[in-house]
Amino acid sequence: MKKETITHKRVIFFGLALSILFTALVMRLLYIQLIMGGHYKQKAHSQGILPIVVKHARGDILDRNGIVLTRGRLKAYLLIFPAYFNDRNSLYDIVGPMTGLGLDELSDSVLGGSPFIKCEILNPDPKIERSIRQGEYPGLMIDYETQRYDDFTLARHLMGYFKKSDNAPQSGIEKEYDAFLRSDDVLTVYAMTDAKRRILSGTVHRNKSKNDEYYDIGLTIDYYVQSALERAMDSHAQKAGGVVVEVETGDILAIASRPNFDQNDIETAKNHKDSLWAVPVKAFSPGSLFKIIVATAGIENGICNGETMHICQGGITINSVRYSCHSERGGLGDISMRQAFAHSCNDAFIGIASRVGGDSIIKMAQKMGLGQPLDIGIHNERGSLPQKVEYAGAGIGNLALGQGKVEVTPIQIAQMMSIIASDGIKKDLSLIREITDQSGYRVENIYEEQTGERLIKSGTARELRAWMGDVTEYGTGIKAYSVKAGGTAGKTGTPQIFGDADAGYYGWFAGFFPTDTPKYAIVILVREESSGGEKAALIFRDTADEITRYTEKLRIP
């Protein structure tokens, strides 16, 4: 009896123990399934997904009307997944003709160990592409992307370019505003893989994360004015730079440089002399353009006016240094200062400079914005003005003619021309308008309307404008004259250049139009063997004509 009782108790104990173990197991399974199920599912899912970054998101650069300057053509790419390839795979026969890659090149890429290869489709085949999109070739995928820059991109030196190895911006707006444009947002291709990380057929899809803010940069550039300037430059010169400014606002409407370069092939550009130079923000000798500063100082100080007479005898000597002037014809003879300006008489302006004095001329140059970088949102050179010891004695001749230590940038000259065109009122040049988010909301307004600051007397500005009108009517800049543009006015410059094996002289033309009510200032520098009255004047005229056609079409008053 006692033995049966003990046996019964043991059965009950083991039964209870089994019940507890079973209950614990059920509870654990419920915990894993209900409480931790999502976590383990996500973990298992992530272990079977291969993320492939296809493209990083980046903000755009826009013109003043919202036209995107950083958006080229839509291009098709073939994403090739090596896991699907073998030595006898028919995919080679499809990829080769579409991408232009040979069998050896494809084989090397496939064996390279990369999870995918991205190749541009050079020879489209609509039938094959349709089959790829329908999933008939699981080792291939078509990706369409809008190229940031292409063969038709404008203002390339202003936009800048990227380093190919790490896609880091190297110049221009891309570099200066990278903190706003850059984003960690990426367009990603996800593919399901098996335990050996081989991509499973039919599991490739695209996704874009949306967790990192980035911004667009709005410029004062006008797409159509920029296009007009670039077309004019391409028509007349291989090496040049130009700036167009709206006189009323100080907005830079166009800024361009030549030679041009391919933003997608920087290595070739580096081997092409000066192709990456942004000419409008670099400093060069102005030559006779500096006579505008001498004339302004002379008029403001009461030393001369348009009727002041001078006798040009073919040259002038200062401290045994001879400066020639129209020596081939024995000088210009008896001329007024207004005529001397039109014909760019060296004699007359060295004489005025001697009377005004180098100190007053340097002060006027600084007042006009020369010798200092402009605050326009991108790096630009300060240029240089000579020290007193350098313009003393015979050095006053070099100063008057804009040679020697005098160096200016085209954008500084554009600032000076806009001051004269606006009756002596200075409005700081502007290039950056605003920063906006991806919804178009303005997060920072950089652009401000300006009342301006008077720098020279309105009478001085009007006198200078009249002199500049003569330059294009009968003087050194007649090739810049345009009836279509409402008349043009300006000044030529032909500085002697040292250190350029391709040219001993450069050519400048700086001016404005229409003559009576100036709306636009244009500055052109041609870095080829040329006088200011030749190629630079023609580029000025053609640009002015194109802008006139554009504004008339839009009925802008």
Side-chain angles (χ1 to χ4, degrees):
M1 184 69 180
K2 185 176 182 180
K3 187 176 180 180
E4 291 179 357
T5 302
I6 293 172
T7 302
H8 181 68
K9 288 181 178 180
R10 286 178 178 175
V11 171
I12 293 174
F13 173 78
F14 281 115
L16 183 60
L18 287 173
S19 297
I20 292 173
L21 288 173
F22 180 75
T23 301
L25 179 61
V26 170
M27 293 297 293
R28 179 62 179 171
L29 290 173
L30 289 173
Y31 173 76
I32 292 173
Q33 181 69 26
L34 300 178
I35 307 299
M36 298 297 292
H39 170 74
Y40 288 120
K41 181 180 179 181
Q42 183 177 3
K43 189 173 182 180
H45 183 67
S46 64
Q47 288 177 339
I49 289 181
L50 176 64
I52 302 169
V53 174
V54 175
K55 181 182 179 182
H56 286 271
R58 188 171 178 83
D60 283 316
I61 303 171
L62 316 175
D63 90 332
R64 69 190 320 197
N65 299 309
I67 297 176
V68 180
L69 300 172
T70 47
R71 197 171 295 170
R73 292 170 297 178
L74 186 69
K75 299 185 73 172
Y77 294 89
L78 197 62
L79 300 184
I80 307 167
F81 298 93
Y84 288 92
F85 283 66
N86 56 54
D87 292 340
R88 292 173 294 178
N89 200 312
S90 61
L91 292 178
Y92 282 109
D93 298 330
I94 296 172
V95 173
M98 293 182 72
T99 63
L101 298 176
L103 179 60
D104 292 340
E105 192 173 1
L106 275 171
S107 298
D108 291 342
S109 298
V110 166
L111 297 173
S114 298
F116 82 108
I117 305 160
K118 181 179 179 181
C119 299
E120 182 182 351
I121 297 177
L122 301 177
N123 304 301
D125 185 324
K127 184 177 180 181
I128 294 293
E129 290 179 32
R130 184 167 55 252
S131 297
I132 292 172
R133 287 194 296 270
Q134 291 173 350
E136 295 181 24
Y137 300 99
L140 303 176
M141 176 181 175
I142 302 233
D143 178 49
Y144 295 97
E145 290 183 17
T146 300
Q147 195 175 15
R148 191 168 182 85
Y149 297 115
D150 62 18
D151 295 340
F152 303 99
T153 298
L154 296 177
R156 299 183 193 183
H157 295 83
L158 175 61
M159 298 297 103
Y161 61 92
F162 297 89
K163 188 176 179 181
K164 191 172 184 179
S165 60
D166 59 6
N167 208 40
Q170 300 296 297
S171 69
I173 300 295
E174 296 283 18
K175 181 180 180 181
E176 299 285 351
Y177 290 85
D178 184 53
F180 295 97
L181 293 164
R182 186 181 65 247
S183 171
D184 291 331
D185 235 5
V186 293
L187 176 64
T188 308
V189 169
Y190 289 97
M192 297 293 294
T193 63
D194 61 16
K196 294 183 179 181
R197 301 293 280 172
R198 293 175 298 190
I199 298 172
L200 300 176
S201 177
T203 65
V204 179
H205 64 279
R206 296 159 58 101
N207 187 39
K208 183 180 182 299
S209 61
K210 294 183 178 180
N211 51 16
D212 185 40
E213 290 185 345
Y214 56 98
Y215 304 93
D216 294 338
I217 308 298
L219 307 180
T220 60
I221 295 295
D222 186 297
Y223 179 91
Y224 298 103
V225 176
Q226 180 74 32
S227 180
L229 174 62
E230 295 197 26
R231 283 198 302 271
M233 289 171 61
D234 288 336
S235 295
H236 298 289
Q238 295 181 341
K239 297 173 65 177
V243 186
V244 180
V245 172
E246 188 174 57
V247 171
E248 183 180 0
T249 62
D251 287 358
I252 297 176
L253 302 182
I255 183 167
S257 189
R258 290 296 185 271
N260 219 346
F261 69 101
D262 184 347
Q263 289 157 298
N264 299 309
D265 186 10
I266 298 304
E267 291 306 313
T268 299
K270 288 179 179 177
N271 295 326
H272 193 298
K273 184 180 179 182
D274 299 345
S275 63
L276 296 180
W277 275 24
V279 171
V281 297
K282 295 188 72 68
F284 303 89
S285 175
S288 291
L289 279 186
F290 201 75
K291 289 173 182 173
I292 298 173
I293 297 293
V294 177
T296 305
I299 296 170
E300 288 277 284
N301 287 282
I303 302 298
C304 66
N305 58 41
E307 303 307 315
T308 303
M309 297 303 296
H310 177 80
I311 302 175
C312 175
Q313 299 178 331
I316 186 170
T317 301
I318 303 177
N319 291 2
S320 301
V321 177
R322 181 71 174 173
Y323 295 94
S324 63
C325 178
H326 296 85
S327 55
E328 73 285 350
R329 53 188 284 193
L332 297 172
D334 291 348
I335 55 172
S336 67
M337 282 304 301
R338 184 166 172 170
Q339 293 171 323
F341 187 88
H343 293 294
S344 203
C345 175
N346 292 341
D347 274 18
F349 280 88
I350 292 175
I352 292 297
S354 298
R355 293 175 61 192
V356 173
D359 290 349
S360 293
I361 293 171
I362 294 297
K363 287 179 181 177
M364 181 57 69
Q366 293 171 334
K367 196 175 183 180
M368 288 287 202
L370 307 186
Q372 53 198 302
L374 302 186
D375 184 16
I376 59 172
I378 59 170
H379 173 75
N380 56 98
E381 295 182 354
R382 67 183 305 112
S384 64
L385 294 171
Q387 301 295 315
K388 189 164 187 171
V389 67
E390 294 165 328
Y391 57 76
I396 194 69
N398 272 336
L399 179 63
L401 304 183
Q403 295 280 175
K405 297 292 184 179
V406 182
E407 288 192 336
V408 301
T409 65
I411 60 171
Q412 289 172 345
I413 296 298
Q415 175 86 85
M416 179 181 73
M417 296 309 299
S418 66
I419 292 170
I420 295 169
S422 60
D423 262 355
I425 302 295
K426 176 190 175 185
K427 291 186 177 179
D428 294 328
L429 299 192
S430 299
L431 179 62
I432 312 298
R433 291 184 70 89
E434 61 186 4
I435 299 173
T436 58
D437 63 18
Q438 293 305 293
S439 66
Y441 177 76
R442 180 183 293 166
V443 296
E444 186 172 346
N445 182 29
I446 299 174
Y447 183 82
E448 294 182 3
E449 291 189 9
Q450 305 178 66
T451 57
E453 171 192 5
R454 177 161 297 283
L455 289 190
I456 59 176
K457 300 171 186 174
S458 59
T460 300
R462 288 195 298 270
E463 180 89 26
L464 289 169
R465 290 208 302 272
W467 293 14
M468 291 181 189
D470 291 348
V471 170
T472 60
E473 287 190 20
Y474 66 84
T476 58
I478 55 176
K479 290 185 178 180
Y481 186 75
S482 170
V483 175
K484 186 181 300 181
T488 56
K491 180 72 184 76
T492 58
T494 310
Q496 187 174 7
I497 302 299
F498 301 95
D500 189 335
D502 299 325
Y505 291 88
Y506 287 171
W508 289 85
F509 191 90
F512 47 82
F513 72 96
T515 305
D516 293 336
T517 56
K519 294 181 179 179
Y520 305 95
I522 304 176
V523 178
I524 305 296
L525 168 62
V526 172
R527 298 174 52 249
E528 298 173 1
E529 192 69 40
S530 174
S531 70
E534 295 294 329
K535 294 179 181 180
L538 292 173
I539 294 171
F540 176 96
R541 183 202 64 196
D542 287 359
T543 303
D545 286 349
E546 280 293 310
I547 293 173
T548 301
R549 275 193 286 269
Y550 165 52
T551 54
E552 285 179 348
K553 186 176 181 180
L554 295 179
R555 296 180 180 177
I556 298 176

